[in-house]
Amino acid sequence: MEDVQERIRKYYPQLTNQQKLAAKFILEEPKEIALHPAKVVGALSGTSETTIIRLCYALSYSGYSELQNELRRTLIDRPPQEQTLSHFRVAAEELEGQEDLIAFHMEQDFATIQQTLTDLGNEKLARAVEAILDAKQIVVVGFRSSHAPAHWLAFALNIVKGNVHLYNGPIDDANYLLTQLNSSCLVIAFSFPRYVNETIQFAQAAKEKGAVVLGITDNELSPLGPIADQLLKVTTPAPTVLVGMAALFSLLNTLVSGVVAANREQVQERLDQYEKTSRQIYPFVRHTEEKG
């Protein structure tokens, strides 16, 4: 079932400017919607009660009450972001001046990992794993700061599933690659500030070819958000590329682990074959390692 964030991401391009302003407020301040009537939310968001009501209809809700109740359930089911990130801020203040860099970054990574995986939720993870398992071909795309996680995910999925291609920009023939995509294919796209246009353009072109797009980004309303059929969000303080890598790789590891758990026998066969092939291709290296 789609949650409020998913609906906003899906319908955002079709909203009016005032509705977009209200939608952003809902994403940023879900507590306010859970606590206040539509008239108050309209004033707080700089719009109006009418805009809030019309936004609910635009998001395919029966009215404001349905949206409000869903947000209330969401806030009850998982701890708010402020709770985890405030834990990080308190820890940072305690470490200030102690020159304990290791402890500081461990606290920071712990907070961002916990919040990201909490926001991910089992339902979104299961849908992403299912999309990977169902895909006959997978293309992974990510540039600049996103290249390293994109490369790792393509490598890991090739081991446990196979038929995964890392799109390398100018090195690859994008036009040819896009001609191979259809509804049985999955594109996994990474996009973080500053968002690279080539990633967005490739994801959009792949979607037009019928491919499923799984976006991994920092915000539902990032340039990749409205394009993606599914979205996994890394919840970290800005800038993500500096403080969010631990959370991002933890999310990716969880995703790959989900693929392994869902298809354990086939994955084990692939791992055995991978190990056997490695021994055949690199006999000298393995012999040296075993002697050492």
Side-chain angles (χ1 to χ4, degrees), residues 46-68:
T47 59
S48 67
E49 180 180 9
T50 301
T51 298
I52 300 299
I53 300 300
R54 288 177 177 173
L55 173 61
C56 294
Y57 295 143
L59 298 178
S60 295
Y61 287 108
S62 60
Y64 181 73
S65 294
E66 185 181 3
L67 180 146
Q68 188 179 49

PDB file of all heavy atoms in Angstrom, residues 46-68:
ATOM      1  N   GLY A  46       1.297  28.192   4.596  1.00  0.00           N
ATOM      2  CA  GLY A  46       1.255  29.366   3.731  1.00  0.00           C
ATOM      3  C   GLY A  46       0.297  29.210   2.572  1.00  0.00           C
ATOM      4  O   GLY A  46       0.427  29.907   1.558  1.00  0.00           O
ATOM      5  N   THR A  47      -0.653  28.290   2.709  1.00  0.00           N
ATOM      6  CA  THR A  47      -1.642  28.090   1.648  1.00  0.00           C
ATOM      7  C   THR A  47      -3.031  28.387   2.215  1.00  0.00           C
ATOM      8  O   THR A  47      -3.258  29.455   2.745  1.00  0.00           O
ATOM      9  CB  THR A  47      -1.557  26.671   1.069  1.00  0.00           C
ATOM     10  OG1 THR A  47      -1.785  25.695   2.110  1.00  0.00           O
ATOM     11  CG2 THR A  47      -0.187  26.426   0.460  1.00  0.00           C
ATOM     12  N   SER A  48      -3.944  27.444   2.128  1.00  0.00           N
ATOM     13  CA  SER A  48      -5.291  27.647   2.654  1.00  0.00           C
ATOM     14  C   SER A  48      -5.933  26.302   2.941  1.00  0.00           C
ATOM     15  O   SER A  48      -5.450  25.254   2.495  1.00  0.00           O
ATOM     16  CB  SER A  48      -6.146  28.422   1.653  1.00  0.00           C
ATOM     17  OG  SER A  48      -6.375  27.631   0.487  1.00  0.00           O
ATOM     18  N   GLU A  49      -7.037  26.337   3.675  1.00  0.00           N
ATOM     19  CA  GLU A  49      -7.765  25.105   3.964  1.00  0.00           C
ATOM     20  C   GLU A  49      -8.250  24.455   2.672  1.00  0.00           C
ATOM     21  O   GLU A  49      -8.185  23.227   2.517  1.00  0.00           O
ATOM     22  CB  GLU A  49      -8.957  25.410   4.873  1.00  0.00           C
ATOM     23  CG  GLU A  49      -9.786  24.176   5.219  1.00  0.00           C
ATOM     24  CD  GLU A  49     -10.962  24.509   6.113  1.00  0.00           C
ATOM     25  OE1 GLU A  49     -11.235  25.720   6.323  1.00  0.00           O
ATOM     26  OE2 GLU A  49     -11.627  23.570   6.603  1.00  0.00           O
ATOM     27  N   THR A  50      -8.712  25.280   1.734  1.00  0.00           N
ATOM     28  CA  THR A  50      -9.196  24.752   0.448  1.00  0.00           C
ATOM     29  C   THR A  50      -8.080  24.014  -0.291  1.00  0.00           C
ATOM     30  O   THR A  50      -8.306  22.935  -0.863  1.00  0.00           O
ATOM     31  CB  THR A  50      -9.738  25.897  -0.430  1.00  0.00           C
ATOM     32  OG1 THR A  50     -10.793  26.549   0.247  1.00  0.00           O
ATOM     33  CG2 THR A  50     -10.245  25.348  -1.761  1.00  0.00           C
ATOM     34  N   THR A  51      -6.874  24.588  -0.279  1.00  0.00           N
ATOM     35  CA  THR A  51      -5.733  23.946  -0.949  1.00  0.00           C
ATOM     36  C   THR A  51      -5.427  22.598  -0.318  1.00  0.00           C
ATOM     37  O   THR A  51      -5.156  21.618  -1.031  1.00  0.00           O
ATOM     38  CB  THR A  51      -4.488  24.850  -0.875  1.00  0.00           C
ATOM     39  OG1 THR A  51      -4.752  26.071  -1.567  1.00  0.00           O
ATOM     40  CG2 THR A  51      -3.285  24.166  -1.511  1.00  0.00           C
ATOM     41  N   ILE A  52      -5.473  22.526   1.000  1.00  0.00           N
ATOM     42  CA  ILE A  52      -5.194  21.264   1.696  1.00  0.00           C
ATOM     43  C   ILE A  52      -6.219  20.207   1.320  1.00  0.00           C
ATOM     44  O   ILE A  52      -5.865  19.047   1.039  1.00  0.00           O
ATOM     45  CB  ILE A  52      -5.182  21.473   3.225  1.00  0.00           C
ATOM     46  CG1 ILE A  52      -4.110  22.493   3.631  1.00  0.00           C
ATOM     47  CG2 ILE A  52      -4.953  20.144   3.948  1.00  0.00           C
ATOM     48  CD1 ILE A  52      -2.706  22.101   3.275  1.00  0.00           C
ATOM     49  N   ILE A  53      -7.477  20.592   1.298  1.00  0.00           N
ATOM     50  CA  ILE A  53      -8.538  19.637   0.943  1.00  0.00           C
ATOM     51  C   ILE A  53      -8.378  19.160  -0.502  1.00  0.00           C
ATOM     52  O   ILE A  53      -8.470  17.959  -0.792  1.00  0.00           O
ATOM     53  CB  ILE A  53      -9.929  20.270   1.138  1.00  0.00           C
ATOM     54  CG1 ILE A  53     -10.138  20.692   2.594  1.00  0.00           C
ATOM     55  CG2 ILE A  53     -11.019  19.298   0.692  1.00  0.00           C
ATOM     56  CD1 ILE A  53     -10.058  19.570   3.584  1.00  0.00           C
ATOM     57  N   ARG A  54      -8.121  20.097  -1.403  1.00  0.00           N
ATOM     58  CA  ARG A  54      -7.939  19.729  -2.813  1.00  0.00           C
ATOM     59  C   ARG A  54      -6.700  18.865  -3.006  1.00  0.00           C
ATOM     60  O   ARG A  54      -6.687  17.979  -3.871  1.00  0.00           O
ATOM     61  CB  ARG A  54      -7.855  20.991  -3.664  1.00  0.00           C
ATOM     62  CG  ARG A  54      -9.196  21.716  -3.809  1.00  0.00           C
ATOM     63  CD  ARG A  54      -9.066  23.003  -4.602  1.00  0.00           C
ATOM     64  NE  ARG A  54     -10.374  23.648  -4.782  1.00  0.00           N
ATOM     65  CZ  ARG A  54     -10.551  24.841  -5.318  1.00  0.00           C
ATOM     66  NH1 ARG A  54      -9.485  25.540  -5.742  1.00  0.00           N
ATOM     67  NH2 ARG A  54     -11.760  25.352  -5.449  1.00  0.00           N
ATOM     68  N   LEU A  55      -5.666  19.118  -2.213  1.00  0.00           N
ATOM     69  CA  LEU A  55      -4.468  18.281  -2.283  1.00  0.00           C
ATOM     70  C   LEU A  55      -4.794  16.847  -1.887  1.00  0.00           C
ATOM     71  O   LEU A  55      -4.320  15.898  -2.522  1.00  0.00           O
ATOM     72  CB  LEU A  55      -3.381  18.843  -1.365  1.00  0.00           C
ATOM     73  CG  LEU A  55      -2.122  17.977  -1.209  1.00  0.00           C
ATOM     74  CD1 LEU A  55      -1.419  17.786  -2.547  1.00  0.00           C
ATOM     75  CD2 LEU A  55      -1.170  18.600  -0.184  1.00  0.00           C
ATOM     76  N   CYS A  56      -5.597  16.677  -0.864  1.00  0.00           N
ATOM     77  CA  CYS A  56      -5.991  15.325  -0.444  1.00  0.00           C
ATOM     78  C   CYS A  56      -6.678  14.581  -1.588  1.00  0.00           C
ATOM     79  O   CYS A  56      -6.386  13.405  -1.844  1.00  0.00           O
ATOM     80  CB  CYS A  56      -6.922  15.393   0.767  1.00  0.00           C
ATOM     81  SG  CYS A  56      -6.155  16.034   2.262  1.00  0.00           S
ATOM     82  N   TYR A  57      -7.581  15.263  -2.290  1.00  0.00           N
ATOM     83  CA  TYR A  57      -8.253  14.630  -3.428  1.00  0.00           C
ATOM     84  C   TYR A  57      -7.259  14.326  -4.550  1.00  0.00           C
ATOM     85  O   TYR A  57      -7.334  13.270  -5.200  1.00  0.00           O
ATOM     86  CB  TYR A  57      -9.365  15.536  -3.948  1.00  0.00           C
ATOM     87  CG  TYR A  57     -10.495  15.754  -2.974  1.00  0.00           C
ATOM     88  CD1 TYR A  57     -11.133  16.984  -2.871  1.00  0.00           C
ATOM     89  CD2 TYR A  57     -10.931  14.729  -2.151  1.00  0.00           C
ATOM     90  CE1 TYR A  57     -12.178  17.193  -1.980  1.00  0.00           C
ATOM     91  CE2 TYR A  57     -11.978  14.918  -1.246  1.00  0.00           C
ATOM     92  CZ  TYR A  57     -12.589  16.147  -1.164  1.00  0.00           C
ATOM     93  OH  TYR A  57     -13.614  16.340  -0.271  1.00  0.00           O
ATOM     94  N   ALA A  58      -6.319  15.245  -4.772  1.00  0.00           N
ATOM     95  CA  ALA A  58      -5.321  15.042  -5.829  1.00  0.00           C
ATOM     96  C   ALA A  58      -4.422  13.852  -5.526  1.00  0.00           C
ATOM     97  O   ALA A  58      -3.897  13.212  -6.441  1.00  0.00           O
ATOM     98  CB  ALA A  58      -4.472  16.298  -5.996  1.00  0.00           C
ATOM     99  N   LEU A  59      -4.260  13.547  -4.224  1.00  0.00           N
ATOM    100  CA  LEU A  59      -3.447  12.396  -3.818  1.00  0.00           C
ATOM    101  C   LEU A  59      -4.277  11.121  -3.701  1.00  0.00           C
ATOM    102  O   LEU A  59      -3.796  10.111  -3.187  1.00  0.00           O
ATOM    103  CB  LEU A  59      -2.763  12.691  -2.475  1.00  0.00           C
ATOM    104  CG  LEU A  59      -1.776  13.871  -2.457  1.00  0.00           C
ATOM    105  CD1 LEU A  59      -1.223  14.076  -1.049  1.00  0.00           C
ATOM    106  CD2 LEU A  59      -0.624  13.628  -3.438  1.00  0.00           C
ATOM    107  N   SER A  60      -5.513  11.186  -4.173  1.00  0.00           N
ATOM    108  CA  SER A  60      -6.435  10.034  -4.187  1.00  0.00           C
ATOM    109  C   SER A  60      -6.878   9.611  -2.790  1.00  0.00           C
ATOM    110  O   SER A  60      -7.157   8.427  -2.547  1.00  0.00           O
ATOM    111  CB  SER A  60      -5.800   8.834  -4.914  1.00  0.00           C
ATOM    112  OG  SER A  60      -5.611   9.141  -6.278  1.00  0.00           O
ATOM    113  N   TYR A  61      -6.963  10.570  -1.872  1.00  0.00           N
ATOM    114  CA  TYR A  61      -7.575  10.319  -0.570  1.00  0.00           C
ATOM    115  C   TYR A  61      -9.041  10.739  -0.635  1.00  0.00           C
ATOM    116  O   TYR A  61      -9.419  11.611  -1.422  1.00  0.00           O
ATOM    117  CB  TYR A  61      -6.864  11.103   0.530  1.00  0.00           C
ATOM    118  CG  TYR A  61      -5.497  10.561   0.881  1.00  0.00           C
ATOM    119  CD1 TYR A  61      -4.348  11.250   0.521  1.00  0.00           C
ATOM    120  CD2 TYR A  61      -5.364   9.359   1.576  1.00  0.00           C
ATOM    121  CE1 TYR A  61      -3.091  10.751   0.837  1.00  0.00           C
ATOM    122  CE2 TYR A  61      -4.109   8.863   1.898  1.00  0.00           C
ATOM    123  CZ  TYR A  61      -2.977   9.555   1.521  1.00  0.00           C
ATOM    124  OH  TYR A  61      -1.737   9.067   1.828  1.00  0.00           O
ATOM    125  N   SER A  62      -9.857  10.157   0.243  1.00  0.00           N
ATOM    126  CA  SER A  62     -11.269  10.515   0.282  1.00  0.00           C
ATOM    127  C   SER A  62     -11.482  11.881   0.921  1.00  0.00           C
ATOM    128  O   SER A  62     -12.527  12.496   0.743  1.00  0.00           O
ATOM    129  CB  SER A  62     -12.057   9.459   1.062  1.00  0.00           C
ATOM    130  OG  SER A  62     -11.567   9.365   2.395  1.00  0.00           O
ATOM    131  N   GLY A  63     -10.474  12.340   1.652  1.00  0.00           N
ATOM    132  CA  GLY A  63     -10.557  13.645   2.296  1.00  0.00           C
ATOM    133  C   GLY A  63      -9.404  13.839   3.255  1.00  0.00           C
ATOM    134  O   GLY A  63      -8.507  12.993   3.367  1.00  0.00           O
ATOM    135  N   TYR A  64      -9.425  14.939   3.983  1.00  0.00           N
ATOM    136  CA  TYR A  64      -8.332  15.262   4.899  1.00  0.00           C
ATOM    137  C   TYR A  64      -8.218  14.249   6.037  1.00  0.00           C
ATOM    138  O   TYR A  64      -7.112  13.901   6.471  1.00  0.00           O
ATOM    139  CB  TYR A  64      -8.529  16.666   5.466  1.00  0.00           C
ATOM    140  CG  TYR A  64      -7.433  17.093   6.408  1.00  0.00           C
ATOM    141  CD1 TYR A  64      -6.169  17.437   5.938  1.00  0.00           C
ATOM    142  CD2 TYR A  64      -7.655  17.145   7.781  1.00  0.00           C
ATOM    143  CE1 TYR A  64      -5.149  17.816   6.805  1.00  0.00           C
ATOM    144  CE2 TYR A  64      -6.653  17.524   8.655  1.00  0.00           C
ATOM    145  CZ  TYR A  64      -5.398  17.864   8.168  1.00  0.00           C
ATOM    146  OH  TYR A  64      -4.398  18.231   9.033  1.00  0.00           O
ATOM    147  N   SER A  65      -9.337  13.754   6.511  1.00  0.00           N
ATOM    148  CA  SER A  65      -9.322  12.814   7.641  1.00  0.00           C
ATOM    149  C   SER A  65      -8.538  11.550   7.316  1.00  0.00           C
ATOM    150  O   SER A  65      -7.805  11.024   8.159  1.00  0.00           O
ATOM    151  CB  SER A  65     -10.758  12.449   8.045  1.00  0.00           C
ATOM    152  OG  SER A  65     -11.431  13.570   8.551  1.00  0.00           O
ATOM    153  N   GLU A  66      -8.695  11.053   6.090  1.00  0.00           N
ATOM    154  CA  GLU A  66      -7.971   9.831   5.708  1.00  0.00           C
ATOM    155  C   GLU A  66      -6.467  10.079   5.681  1.00  0.00           C
ATOM    156  O   GLU A  66      -5.688   9.270   6.192  1.00  0.00           O
ATOM    157  CB  GLU A  66      -8.442   9.326   4.345  1.00  0.00           C
ATOM    158  CG  GLU A  66      -7.796   7.994   3.962  1.00  0.00           C
ATOM    159  CD  GLU A  66      -8.223   7.479   2.601  1.00  0.00           C
ATOM    160  OE1 GLU A  66      -8.986   8.188   1.901  1.00  0.00           O
ATOM    161  OE2 GLU A  66      -7.778   6.379   2.219  1.00  0.00           O
ATOM    162  N   LEU A  67      -6.048  11.205   5.099  1.00  0.00           N
ATOM    163  CA  LEU A  67      -4.619  11.539   5.085  1.00  0.00           C
ATOM    164  C   LEU A  67      -4.096  11.712   6.506  1.00  0.00           C
ATOM    165  O   LEU A  67      -3.019  11.213   6.856  1.00  0.00           O
ATOM    166  CB  LEU A  67      -4.393  12.812   4.271  1.00  0.00           C
ATOM    167  CG  LEU A  67      -2.943  13.302   4.154  1.00  0.00           C
ATOM    168  CD1 LEU A  67      -2.712  13.937   2.781  1.00  0.00           C
ATOM    169  CD2 LEU A  67      -2.595  14.318   5.235  1.00  0.00           C
ATOM    170  N   GLN A  68      -4.836  12.412   7.339  1.00  0.00           N
ATOM    171  CA  GLN A  68      -4.420  12.660   8.717  1.00  0.00           C
ATOM    172  C   GLN A  68      -4.287  11.365   9.502  1.00  0.00           C
ATOM    173  O   GLN A  68      -3.298  11.153  10.220  1.00  0.00           O
ATOM    174  CB  GLN A  68      -5.435  13.582   9.393  1.00  0.00           C
ATOM    175  CG  GLN A  68      -5.005  14.061  10.777  1.00  0.00           C
ATOM    176  CD  GLN A  68      -6.029  14.978  11.385  1.00  0.00           C
ATOM    177  OE1 GLN A  68      -7.224  14.661  11.413  1.00  0.00           O
ATOM    178  NE2 GLN A  68      -5.584  16.125  11.885  1.00  0.00           N
TER     179      GLN A  68
END
